[in-house]
């Protein structure tokens, strides 16, 4: 259906593809993987025709429709979220807009003189709307938006009033409603809570077209894709299977290539040693010449290209008292909305609580109460003896000095640390080479989040409170963080929508809801087994 044949592409000095080829068949669900900057977005843009290859060919079968969701959603304002999503469905959106304008005109007493014309036009437009299945489309648009976590009020409100993350969901909803023959989704799992993520998973599984997507969520990827295309060093390599299978196959291929490389190196060393030993002897001249010719003809095996994932030895956290934090009779309201009433909750040393709950249930509020960022309206919150608290949330990025470089900021925070140690720390969180010389003010939101996380873990507190710590982390960095926190001796209270992270690190679950809170012994995996659901908002 879509074929890339012998693609070569260079962006400035960077060579992105060298004679790369791949085929996307009808109905396939493909995960696109590769290190940051490998060319995943460039590949999407080649398929959509936004960019052209320098050499080679991209061919798309006649009549195939393509929907592309990227992180750059552009400006949105002046329309409701529903109208914005319906825009993706083509001409019906213009008809819907006219219908709405005519309905407003019919209710306007100032236009009474033109009412006959308005009513006549309304009838014509309504017929056209019905022909285009507009009423069903409105329902489908609302269904998609509800799946992505929108309330009715948000659906009908001006999309311009929404935050960047919610606008991303609107842009994603537009592609989903369009149901093209091929969907290209660049990080669709970003900015989604766990309920929306699971809904999207079900939607994409049921989608019958071709799907190509990138995602930093391995669980999400594993449940949807049946094929992986890897971009690495300019080439495209196809693996049949999910992400877990790809990881196994890639490791196996690397191992085999390393063994082949070592065997060839041993053979070459032996041949070179023979040539060096006998090259001056006339009696061995023929043999020496024969071996020299043999070496010239050998295809050299390259050692495997290993992806650098820096592992960092984080220092052990100091020991706290057994009672880390206790909340007694805590009340918290925002305006007329009660978030907590009479909340009792205690965290003890070495417990790792993950907090679950639908949007607006009070997950982040609980973390703010515990860290003292928000004061309770009533009740008491007591932090235990020798507790050194570290809080990671989106507002933590405000701590960065915009004029300092990444390295300068780390160095000023830890003046006693060695340069090598700080560079290794920066490398763990994706700041390698010249990246450490970037000024903090030019960093993206994701880079700022990674830098703040690195800073917090370099001299770790014994009580970590983390609000969505895995946002903006790629799969390799996320895994590094999981490995570091597995060995962490302190206590944790965290919110995350990443099920791999939840399962790997939690040993307690606190479910918060408007009806109250419920504590579960055992981690996220046990929670899923006990409740039969992966998130509280999915209960029927």
């Amino acid at each position: 259906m879509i074929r890339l044949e012998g693609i070569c592409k260079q962006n400035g000095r960077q060579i992105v593809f060298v004679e790369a080829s791949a085929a996307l068949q009808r109905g396939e669900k493909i995960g696109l993987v590769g290190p940051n900057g490998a060319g995943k977005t460039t590949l999407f843009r080649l398929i959509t025709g936004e960019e052209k290859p320098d050499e080679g060919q991209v061919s798309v079968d006649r009549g195939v429709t393509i929907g592309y969701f990227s992180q750059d959603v552009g400006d949105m304002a002046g329309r409701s979220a529903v109208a914005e999503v319906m825009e993706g469905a083509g001409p019906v959106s213009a008809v819907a807009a006219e219908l709405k304008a005519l309905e407003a005109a019919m209710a306007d007493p100032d236009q009474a003189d033109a009412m006959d014309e308005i009513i006549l036009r309304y009838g014509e437009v309504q017929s056209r709307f019905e022909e285009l299945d507009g009423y069903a489309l409105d329902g489908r648009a609302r269904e998609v938006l509800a799946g992505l976590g929108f309330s009715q009020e948000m659906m009908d409100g001006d999309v311009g009033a929404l935050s960047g993350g919610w606008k991303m969901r609107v842009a994603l909803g537009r592609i989903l409603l369009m149901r093209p023959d091929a969907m290209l989704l660049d990080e669709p799992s970003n900015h989604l809570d766990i309920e929306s993520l699971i809904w999207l998973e079900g939607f994409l599984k049921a989608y019958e077209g071709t799907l190509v997507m990138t995602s930093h969520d391995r669980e999400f990827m594993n449940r949807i894709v049946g094929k992986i295309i890897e971009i690495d060093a300019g080439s495209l390599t196809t693996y049949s299977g999910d992400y877990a299978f790809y990881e196994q196959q890639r490791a196996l291929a690397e191992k085999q290539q390393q063994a082949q490389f070592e065997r060839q190196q041993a053979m070459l060393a032996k041949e070179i040693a023979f040539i060096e030993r006998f090259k001056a002897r006339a009696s061995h001249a023929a043999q020496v010449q024969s071996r020299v010719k043999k070496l010239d003809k050998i295809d050299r095996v390259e050692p495997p290209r290993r992806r650098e994932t820096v592992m960092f030895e984080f220092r052990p956290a100091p020991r706290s008292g057994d009672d880390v934090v206790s909340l007694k009779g805590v009340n918290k309201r925002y305006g007329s909305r009660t978030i907590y009433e009479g909340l009792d909750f205690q965290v003890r040393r070495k417990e790792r609580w993950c907090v679950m709950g639908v949007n607006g249930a009070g997950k982040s509020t609980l973390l703010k109460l515990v860290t003292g960022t928000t004061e309770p309206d009533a009740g008491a919150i007591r932090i235990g003896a020798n507790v050194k608290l570290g809080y990671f949330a989106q507002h933590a990025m405000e701590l960065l000095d915009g004029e300092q470089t990444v390295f300068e900021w780390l160095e000023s925070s830890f003046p006693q640390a060695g340069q090598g140690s700080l560079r290794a720390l920066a490398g763990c969180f994706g700041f390698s080479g010249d990246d450490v010389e970037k000024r903090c003010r030019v960093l993206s939101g994701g880079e700022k989040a990674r830098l703040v996380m690195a800073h917090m873990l370099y001299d770790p507190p014994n009580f970590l409170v983390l609000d969505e710590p895995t946002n903006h982390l790629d799969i390799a960095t996320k895994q590094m963080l999981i490995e570091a926190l597995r060995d962490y001796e302190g206590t944790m209270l965290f919110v995350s929508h990443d099920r791999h992270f939840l399962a790997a690190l939690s040993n307690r679950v606190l479910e918060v809801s408007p009806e109250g809170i419920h504590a579960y012994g055992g981690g996220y995996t046990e929670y899923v087994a006990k409740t039969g659901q992966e998130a509280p908002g999915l209960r029927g």
Side-chain angles (χ1 to χ4, degrees), residues 163-374:
S163 69
W166 285 100
K167 282 180 179 173
M168 287 274 190
R169 297 191 195 203
V170 171
L172 177 59
R174 193 191 291 170
I175 304 298
L176 300 181
L177 185 69
M178 181 184 170
R179 284 187 177 261
D181 299 318
M183 264 198 251
L184 312 178
L185 304 182
D186 193 0
E187 293 295 342
S189 51
N190 272 5
H191 304 286
L192 296 185
D193 54 48
I194 195 165
E195 286 82 11
S196 303
L197 200 59
I198 292 164
W199 175 85
L200 180 59
E201 208 170 82
F203 185 99
L204 294 177
K205 278 183 189 169
Y207 167 64
E208 292 177 358
T210 301
L211 171 68
V212 187
M213 71 171 190
T214 64
S215 178
H216 289 160
D217 187 325
R218 72 168 64 215
E219 194 67 38
F220 181 70
M221 185 102 83
N222 272 335
R223 296 184 187 204
I224 295 167
V225 307
K227 179 174 168 178
I228 295 285
I229 294 178
E230 180 192 52
I231 306 179
D232 196 13
S235 63
L236 295 171
T237 309
T238 301
Y239 296 81
S240 294
D242 61 13
Y243 185 81
F245 179 78
Y246 150 75
E247 278 194 311
Q248 290 167 3
Q249 290 302 301
R250 195 179 194 284
L252 187 63
E254 269 190 8
K255 197 174 174 184
Q256 288 170 342
Q257 191 177 343
Q258 182 66 31
Q260 203 179 346
F261 171 73
E262 286 171 6
R263 279 198 302 273
Q264 190 180 71
Q265 290 298 303
M267 180 273 288
L268 291 172
K270 194 174 170 186
E271 293 294 323
I272 289 164
F274 180 90
I275 291 164
E276 287 298 315
R277 187 177 172 193
F278 294 110
K279 67 183 177 185
R281 296 190 193 179
S283 58
H284 287 75
Q287 284 174 284
V288 167
Q289 280 305 310
S290 167
R291 294 192 184 204
V292 167
K293 283 177 186 172
K294 179 182 163 187
L295 289 189
D296 285 343
K297 289 178 184 172
I298 284 175
D299 284 335
R300 301 293 171 112
V301 176
E302 294 293 324
R305 284 189 305 272
R306 286 203 172 77
R307 260 196 217 143
E308 285 300 312
T309 304
V310 188
M311 297 308 290
F312 192 82
E313 290 290 321
F314 291 100
R315 298 184 214 172
R319 185 185 163 120
S320 71
D322 287 340
D323 292 327
V324 175
V325 65
S326 69
L327 290 78
K328 288 213 164 63
V330 167
N331 292 357
K332 185 66 189 173
R333 295 167 69 86
Y334 288 116
S336 61
R337 198 158 66 94
T338 300
I339 308 293
Y340 292 112
E341 193 163 9
L343 169 65
D344 293 330
F345 175 53
Q346 184 166 37
V347 177
R348 294 180 61 78
R349 191 171 74 87
K350 287 203 171 186
E351 289 181 340
R352 294 160 173 241
W353 288 91
C354 71
V355 186
M356 309 286 295
V358 297
N359 262 344
K363 302 186 295 292
S364 292
T365 300
L366 177 64
L367 270 50
K368 286 175 183 173
L369 286 165
V370 165
T371 56
T373 317
T374 292

Side-chain angles (χ1 to χ4, degrees), residues 6 10 12 19 22 108 113 126 136 229 234 311 342 383 403 531 535:
Q10 188 166 342
E19 294 184 3
D108 183 357
D113 294 347
Q126 193 175 38
I229 294 178
M311 297 308 290
I383 300 290
E403 290 309 308
T531 63

Side-chain angles (χ1 to χ4, degrees), residues 2-49:
I2 299 170
R3 286 168 299 284
L4 299 105
E5 296 166 300
I7 296 298
C8 295
K9 182 70 179 173
Q10 188 166 342
N11 289 336
R13 289 185 178 180
Q14 188 199 4
I15 295 169
V16 186
F17 295 114
V18 182
E19 294 184 3
S21 299
L24 320 179
Q25 307 299 341
R26 198 172 290 277
E28 283 186 325
K29 292 186 169 67
I30 300 162
L32 187 61
V33 303
N36 283 341
K40 298 187 286 290
T41 301
T42 302
L43 186 72
F44 282 149
R45 292 168 69 87
L46 287 169
I47 293 171
T48 59

Side-chain angles (χ1 to χ4, degrees), residues 259-506:
Q260 203 179 346
F261 171 73
E262 286 171 6
R263 279 198 302 273
Q264 190 180 71
Q265 290 298 303
M267 180 273 288
L268 291 172
K270 194 174 170 186
E271 293 294 323
I272 289 164
F274 180 90
I275 291 164
E276 287 298 315
R277 187 177 172 193
F278 294 110
K279 67 183 177 185
R281 296 190 193 179
S283 58
H284 287 75
Q287 284 174 284
V288 167
Q289 280 305 310
S290 167
R291 294 192 184 204
V292 167
K293 283 177 186 172
K294 179 182 163 187
L295 289 189
D296 285 343
K297 289 178 184 172
I298 284 175
D299 284 335
R300 301 293 171 112
V301 176
E302 294 293 324
R305 284 189 305 272
R306 286 203 172 77
R307 260 196 217 143
E308 285 300 312
T309 304
V310 188
M311 297 308 290
F312 192 82
E313 290 290 321
F314 291 100
R315 298 184 214 172
R319 185 185 163 120
S320 71
D322 287 340
D323 292 327
V324 175
V325 65
S326 69
L327 290 78
K328 288 213 164 63
V330 167
N331 292 357
K332 185 66 189 173
R333 295 167 69 86
Y334 288 116
S336 61
R337 198 158 66 94
T338 300
I339 308 293
Y340 292 112
E341 193 163 9
L343 169 65
D344 293 330
F345 175 53
Q346 184 166 37
V347 177
R348 294 180 61 78
R349 191 171 74 87
K350 287 203 171 186
E351 289 181 340
R352 294 160 173 241
W353 288 91
C354 71
V355 186
M356 309 286 295
V358 297
N359 262 344
K363 302 186 295 292
S364 292
T365 300
L366 177 64
L367 270 50
K368 286 175 183 173
L369 286 165
V370 165
T371 56
T373 317
T374 292
E375 292 296 321
D377 300 331
I381 299 170
R382 195 171 63 80
I383 300 290
N386 301 318
V387 170
K388 180 185 171 190
L389 190 145
Y391 177 34
F392 175 84
Q394 298 311 304
H395 79 266
M397 272 65 96
E398 294 160 17
L399 301 171
L400 297 171
D401 180 340
E403 290 309 308
Q404 287 186 313
T405 66
V406 167
F407 191 74
E408 283 169 352
W409 189 70
L410 289 174
E411 207 171 27
S412 64
S413 302
F414 305 109
Q416 305 304 313
Q419 284 213 358
S421 171
L422 291 181
R423 285 186 186 276
L425 173 72
C428 277
F429 286 89
F431 296 99
S432 54
D434 293 342
D435 289 342
V436 294
E437 300 307 325
K438 282 184 179 176
R439 295 207 182 278
C440 291
R441 62 180 153 75
V442 305
L443 299 178
S444 68
E447 287 173 323
K448 286 178 180 175
R450 295 203 308 266
L451 181 55
V452 170
M453 177 73 70
H455 179 272
M456 187 169 70
L457 290 178
Y458 185 73
D459 182 17
N462 51 30
F463 181 31
L464 281 178
V465 180
L466 310 173
D467 197 353
E468 294 290 2
T470 58
N471 276 3
H472 309 294
L473 298 186
D474 63 21
I475 288 176
T477 311
K478 221 180 266 187
Q479 192 57 36
M480 183 279 299
L481 183 62
I482 287 171
E483 298 299 333
L485 292 178
R486 267 200 185 116
D487 298 332
Y488 172 69
E489 290 286 311
T491 306
M492 287 171 66
L493 176 70
F494 63 96
V495 174
S496 175
H497 65 249
D498 188 291
R499 286 162 289 177
H500 181 59
F501 189 86
L502 290 169
L505 295 174
S506 60

